[in-house]
Amino acid sequence: MTIGRVQSPRIIRIGGGVSAETGDVLTQLGLSRPLIVTDKTLVELGHVAKVTDGLDAAGIPYGIFDGVIEDPTDTCLEEGLAAFGAAEFDCIIGLGGGSPMDTAKAISFMSVNPGHVRDYKAPTQIDKCGPPTILIPTTGGTGSELTRWCVITDTVKTEKYNLSGLAAVATAAIIDWEFTVTKPWRITADTAVDSLTHAMEAYVSRKAFAYTDAFALSAMPLIAKHVRAACMDGSNAQAREGLMLAASQAGMAFSNASVALVHGMSRPIGAHFHVAHGLSNAMLLPAVTAFSIDHASRRYADCARVMNMATSSDSDAVACGKLVEGLRRLNDDLRVPAPSAQGLDKDRYFATLPVMAQQALASGSPQNNPRVPTEAEIVQLYKDIW
């Protein structure tokens, strides 16, 4: 019998406009002075004001740290820790995409755990919890608001660290799809494929179980149905709501079943070449699926069928072929470039492949894949997508 182990926030509120209830969530938790961790773009877009207006109305004082950068680093984390220590804050609100939410998590647990963040990289489990975190996603991709994971980049070792444990689970998640209507095409596409990768990898993971399967199987068709419409019309409320729900469901799936080879290979691309995480996932997803598919054909066929890329009458083999073709077609529709078309330096890319393959394996994610790759096979996959 498979034993599933689930970690999730104590409070989850989800729906259009629910961010207005942030003050109420703080009151419910007995909290009264948050530090809001975000980035300057979200301040400029007015998303931060949408939350702080409600806090002002509730008479809740707060501070703002808006120094989060894309793919947050250990240096960014140290700046956030300094901001948190500068006043008597009793909790942290992470507002934004994966970068602000992951930074908020890391500020929380590193405020009570000694040393450098690299001391806690996976497979270490960080279970000594810091102050409560309330996460409010604005992109609908990472699912970080519901996961036990966060990712921080080491500026010295040029490596993205997977960090996980009870300390990385939010206390509360407030999921408001209305934030996402300002997302441009590229970010909409990349975050949606990030969610799709979470759901697919959770479903085919060696750690999958019935509870995570339910979330993954619900997320995949929502993404397949809505991603193109959301890209074409950012104000499409039904599509935006569907993608935000799918991102959260996929987050619950992979948080508890783990990701696999796509994510293992994606993080080094981001660390070394600063490609957005969702975009690097998209670059890899069709090739890694084709590499892995014969080792979990029934599960991959399920993915094809729930996304209407194959029919119930198709054999597993036919459905698997249609899945790979469907993922390639999705990348074409979403204008996903190959690394060679993304402006990466070819000589540096190929010279870095051995290190990237080693880092991918060291992350532990490839070991969850239906087909566990060798270092040489990972190098070849990196070459194949170039």
Side-chain angles (χ1 to χ4, degrees), residues 287-352:
V288 171
T289 300
F291 170 83
S292 310
I293 208 160
D294 289 341
H295 290 250
S297 58
R298 181 181 64 80
R299 291 227 148 202
Y300 280 113
D302 289 343
C303 296
R305 293 186 185 106
V306 298
M307 290 191 285
N308 287 323
M309 294 178 181
T311 69
S312 59
S313 62
D314 288 327
S315 67
D316 286 354
V318 169
C320 285
K322 289 183 175 180
L323 175 63
V324 173
E325 179 56 34
L327 294 174
R328 289 173 177 153
R329 188 165 56 250
L330 179 64
N331 273 7
D332 288 343
D333 291 347
L334 299 183
R335 308 171 191 169
V336 175
S340 58
Q342 183 64 13
L344 277 61
D345 181 89
K346 182 177 181 179
D347 291 340
R348 181 166 169 256
Y349 179 84
F350 278 84
T352 310

Side-chain angles (χ1 to χ4, degrees), residues 7 113 119-128 148-149 162-168 207:
Q7 295 172 323
N113 289 282
D119 300 330
Y120 299 95
K121 68 178 181 178
T124 299
Q125 291 297 292
I126 313 164
D127 291 329
K128 183 177 180 181
R148 61 183 179 91
W149 299 91
N162 254 355
L163 304 156
S164 70
L166 188 61
K207 296 180 179 178

Side-chain angles (χ1 to χ4, degrees), residues 40-64:
K40 290 179 174 56
T41 298
L42 292 172
V43 174
E44 294 168 0
L45 287 171
H47 290 341
V48 175
K50 187 174 179 180
V51 173
T52 58
D53 286 351
L55 297 180
D56 289 336
I60 298 174
Y62 54 84
I64 297 175

Side-chain angles (χ1 to χ4, degrees), residues 36-244:
I36 299 172
V37 174
T38 188
D39 62 44
K40 290 179 174 56
T41 298
L42 292 172
V43 174
E44 294 168 0
L45 287 171
H47 290 341
V48 175
K50 187 174 179 180
V51 173
T52 58
D53 286 351
L55 297 180
D56 289 336
I60 298 174
Y62 54 84
I64 297 175
F65 170 67
D66 63 1
V68 177
I69 60 173
E70 187 175 351
D71 291 330
T73 62
D74 48 2
T75 304
C76 172
L77 171 58
E78 291 298 328
E79 293 171 357
L81 282 164
F84 182 73
E88 295 296 321
F89 298 113
D90 64 359
C91 61
I92 302 164
I93 295 175
L95 173 66
S99 294
M101 290 193 290
D102 284 3
T103 303
K105 292 182 181 188
I107 291 171
S108 174
F109 63 69
M110 288 307 298
S111 71
V112 296
N113 289 282
H116 190 275
V117 69
R118 74 172 67 93
D119 300 330
Y120 299 95
K121 68 178 181 178
T124 299
Q125 291 297 292
I126 313 164
D127 291 329
K128 183 177 180 181
C129 298
T133 53
I134 296 87
L135 300 184
I136 307 174
T138 62
T139 61
T142 68
S144 184
E145 69 276 4
L146 298 183
T147 76
R148 61 183 179 91
W149 299 91
C150 68
V151 178
I152 300 293
T153 299
D154 189 327
T155 54
V156 174
K157 296 182 178 291
T158 316
E159 183 174 356
K160 278 188 173 184
Y161 293 134
N162 254 355
L163 304 156
S164 70
L166 188 61
V169 178
T171 309
I174 300 172
I175 304 166
D176 185 344
W177 63 264
E178 291 180 358
F179 283 118
T180 67
V181 298
T182 60
K183 286 196 304 180
W185 172 295
R186 183 74 272 148
I187 296 176
T188 297
D190 293 348
T191 52
V193 177
D194 189 20
S195 299
L196 179 59
T197 307
H198 290 156
M200 286 185 60
E201 291 204 299
Y203 189 68
V204 303
S205 168
R206 290 168 178 259
K207 296 180 179 178
F209 57 102
Y211 182 87
T212 57
D213 286 351
F215 286 107
L217 289 170
S218 180
M220 283 185 270
L222 283 171
I223 298 162
K225 177 180 179 181
H226 292 301
V227 59
R228 292 175 176 87
C231 285
M232 294 300 295
D233 177 9
S235 64
N236 185 321
Q238 183 182 20
R240 291 298 193 185
E241 185 173 16
L243 289 181
M244 184 66 105

